[in-house]
Amino acid sequence: MYGQAGEAAREARRRAREVAEQARARMHEAQREAEAEGGPRYAALLWAEAEARATEAAHALAGEAFSEARDAFDSVGGTYGRVRDIAREARVREAAERARAQATRGRERAQAAGGPGYASELWEAAEAKFSEGETAIARKPPSGAAQAFDDAGVLFARAEDGLQTANPFAVHEANVPVRVDNAPMTGQ
């Protein structure tokens, strides 16, 4: 009878260790994902907290406190998941901000070339996309913002090109009249 009880206890400990090790493996996968997304850069404090708690969980596993280790590894895995999500959102926001800046420069160039007067349809489409980007960047996460700003930038560039084609004496960025075909201007 004692032999069977001892065997059952050993089997229960083996299963408990296996479950704790599976939780550790899940935590390591979450850690790798968070690190790949730039977690230590974008969520440094939360990352440091997760690292410290992962060490505590490893000590619990080494001390054969399997249930405690499993719970701790699962909790730390969740923390790494939050770090990953924060980093992803930050990277998406940075990309959207870069696209916004580029679209803004394109808008300014198109405006300097004559504004919406010559290419009103393209200008209106570009403004609509820019507005879509502004709406998207205000959301959390700002999904779709970078693409909308990229589209706006392309449309502003097309509008600028259209303005220069429609107006052979288009205004250069330095506000110096130039011909699009680079032919010398007469009367100067």
Side-chain angles (χ1 to χ4, degrees):
M1 183 167 201
Y2 287 113
Q4 289 177 337
E7 183 60 32
R10 281 190 294 279
E11 179 59 20
R13 289 183 61 70
R14 186 194 65 73
R15 280 193 308 253
R17 174 185 292 277
E18 186 176 299
V19 169
E21 288 175 350
Q22 289 169 350
R24 178 176 60 182
R26 288 189 303 272
M27 181 218 58
H28 281 304
E29 180 60 28
Q31 179 187 39
R32 282 189 291 277
E33 289 175 5
E35 189 168 20
E37 292 290 339
R41 174 180 172 213
Y42 293 106
L45 293 175
L46 197 54
W47 177 269
E49 175 189 327
E51 292 286 289
R53 289 177 42 222
T55 300
E56 292 170 8
H59 287 303
L61 181 61
E64 298 187 353
F66 302 127
S67 179
E68 178 185 334
R70 179 202 64 224
D71 292 347
F73 284 131
D74 283 342
S75 175
V76 173
T79 301
Y80 281 126
R82 286 192 304 281
V83 168
R84 179 201 59 224
D85 294 346
I86 290 167
R88 279 182 184 163
E89 182 176 334
R91 290 175 61 219
V92 167
R93 186 164 300 285
E94 285 176 351
E97 291 292 346
R98 284 190 304 273
R100 174 199 261 167
Q102 189 170 350
T104 299
R105 287 189 298 273
R107 175 197 249 173
E108 290 167 355
R109 283 191 308 274
Q111 226 167 6
Y118 288 103
S120 61
E121 287 181 23
L122 283 171
W123 183 267
E124 289 171 13
E127 284 293 331
K129 278 295 183 179
F130 195 88
S131 179
E132 182 182 318
E134 290 291 349
T135 299
I137 204 166
R139 288 192 300 257
K140 188 171 179 165
S143 58
Q147 185 62 53
F149 285 125
D150 286 343
D151 292 349
V154 167
L155 290 168
F156 281 127
R158 287 179 55 205
E160 180 184 10
D161 290 345
L163 290 168
Q164 289 177 350
T165 302
N167 180 5
F169 295 98
V171 179
H172 183 266
E173 282 185 84
N175 291 328
V176 178
V178 294
R179 296 245 341 211
V180 175
D181 62 4
N182 292 324
M185 292 184 56
T186 59
Q188 287 192 354

